[in-house]
Amino acid sequence: MTALLTGAMAFSMMQLFLLGALGPRIVRALDVSPTVLGLTTTVGFGAAAVLSPLGGRVVDRVGPRRCLVALLAVAAGALALIGSAPGTGFLLAAVALGGVPQALANPATNKAILAAVPVERRGAVTGMKQSGVQLGAFAAGLPLAALAGAAGWRAAVWTAAGAAVAAAVWASRTLPADPAPRSAPPAAWLPRGTIAWLAAFSLLLGCGIASVNTYLSLYGAERLGLGPTAAGALVAVLGVAGIAGRVGWSKVAGVPDRARWLPAVLAVGAVAAALLLAVSTHARPLAWLAAVCVGVFAVAANAVSMVLVMQRAAPGRAGQDSALVSAGFFAGFALGPPLFGVLASAGRYGTGWLMVAGEFAGAGAVALVWAARERRAVGTGTR
């Protein structure tokens, strides 16, 4: 089951990693600007942010198996449409459809873990399945980018669509049947308590990560003089580092007292990564080190937040609580790239990376305040 959940997470965001990794080719083929490339991320994650609260309620009501099969089927459809896009409008519509699997991914996979995985293994399994997102980044940045170089970017996207169809069939035959649909707790559209703090942290974290995901490859091609395949490999390096970071830090987060402080610690590392990107035009190897650090620290922080959600989710609300934190993350992904895109279009990548460092610093401040409040609440027995 862990492998299937990992694959579901990979396909839920595959479209956006492909748009980032294949950005230089798509910009030329469809004659779109860097700002429009950033707008694809805004559309996809904006749709996911809006749909997430509803998606969490659907998962709580109908069960994770049905939702995971639907997630993979819709992801395949969105990828197929992206590969067929004749221009900007069609591309944006296809990306908006891809917001559906994003909205279902964390609620469905978290619900599956809570239903089938013992408490002592949930941190490790969560880290593995969250690493699926970075597995998707690796696949987009290396094998699929290489395929795009040999057969064209459309062929690479269609190949990913076919793989998503195969995963949907696998899920339908492998996952245990869901119980009969039941009434879910009342819908919650605004997070409260710990979930609100984690949503705010995820919003700022998402702003920074999305900018890196969307523009790292283009930055490598335009400012560091890398070829399209090498520029895509930057995304692949980030993906591999993110897998290691998510698996490792999620295991550490399995201990609640440690988990409380991890988001702030990881945010500090993310700030350092963004600063490395800001100076990498003067020392190009630093871009590769920065990609590793973004994966190990920034990307891993999102997996830790999911562990925290499952540790603190209200009974019967794991889907909705996961969805509300995910909505904050997706809103960050929608907001970050357009802001960065304005700077990228003006050639001001250095300023853009400094803005990313500021977003990560804001996430760290939110996490630090929450951890301090949490410690006081535990000390006084009011949590």
Side-chain angles (χ1 to χ4, degrees), residues 21-296:
L22 305 181
R25 291 186 170 92
I26 294 173
V27 164
R28 290 194 300 269
L30 299 184
D31 192 27
V32 300
S33 69
T35 301
V36 170
L37 183 65
L39 187 59
T40 62
T41 301
T42 299
V43 169
F45 282 101
V50 171
L51 293 171
S52 281
L54 177 61
R57 181 171 172 79
V58 169
V59 172
D60 283 336
R61 177 174 173 78
V62 306
R65 178 181 178 273
R66 296 183 183 94
C67 289
L68 284 168
V69 172
L71 179 164
L72 291 163
V74 175
L79 287 165
L81 291 173
I82 289 170
S84 305
T88 300
F90 195 99
L91 179 66
L92 293 176
V95 170
L97 177 62
V100 174
Q102 293 173 63
L104 292 173
N106 277 316
T109 54
N110 286 355
K111 192 88 170 180
I113 289 171
L114 287 172
V117 178
V119 173
E120 64 274 12
R121 294 189 59 240
R122 286 176 185 169
V125 174
T126 300
M128 284 298 300
K129 70 96 174 176
Q130 290 294 131
S131 74
V133 176
Q134 301 319 119
L135 181 63
F138 173 80
L142 199 58
L144 290 174
L147 178 61
W153 71 269
R154 294 184 189 275
V157 178
W158 286 330
T159 298
V165 170
V169 173
W170 180 24
S172 68
R173 294 181 176 180
T174 302
L175 291 174
D178 292 319
R182 57 189 178 186
S183 60
W189 297 94
L190 294 175
R192 297 180 180 179
T194 294
I195 302 304
W197 285 98
L198 291 174
F201 170 78
S202 297
L203 171 67
L204 291 164
L205 186 73
C207 283
I209 293 176
S211 295
V212 177
N213 285 345
T214 304
Y215 287 103
L216 182 59
S217 179
L218 199 61
Y219 170 68
E222 291 188 350
R223 287 291 177 269
L224 302 183
L226 301 178
T229 300
L234 274 173
V235 180
V237 167
L238 188 158
V240 171
I243 292 171
R246 286 188 161 189
V247 171
W249 289 117
S250 292
K251 288 182 180 178
V252 176
V255 180
D257 287 342
R258 294 177 183 173
R260 182 187 309 140
W261 299 101
L262 273 182
V265 171
L266 296 178
V268 172
V271 171
L275 294 177
L276 286 174
L277 281 173
V279 301
S280 61
T281 51
H282 306 291
R284 294 180 182 180
L286 291 179
W288 298 93
L289 177 59
V292 171
C293 291
V294 170
V296 169

Side-chain angles (χ1 to χ4, degrees), residues 2-28:
T2 301
L4 182 56
L5 297 181
T6 302
M9 293 299 296
F11 283 113
S12 72
M13 289 179 58
M14 178 67 75
Q15 58 161 348
L16 295 170
F17 283 124
L18 279 171
L19 289 170
L22 305 181
R25 291 186 170 92
I26 294 173
V27 164
R28 290 194 300 269

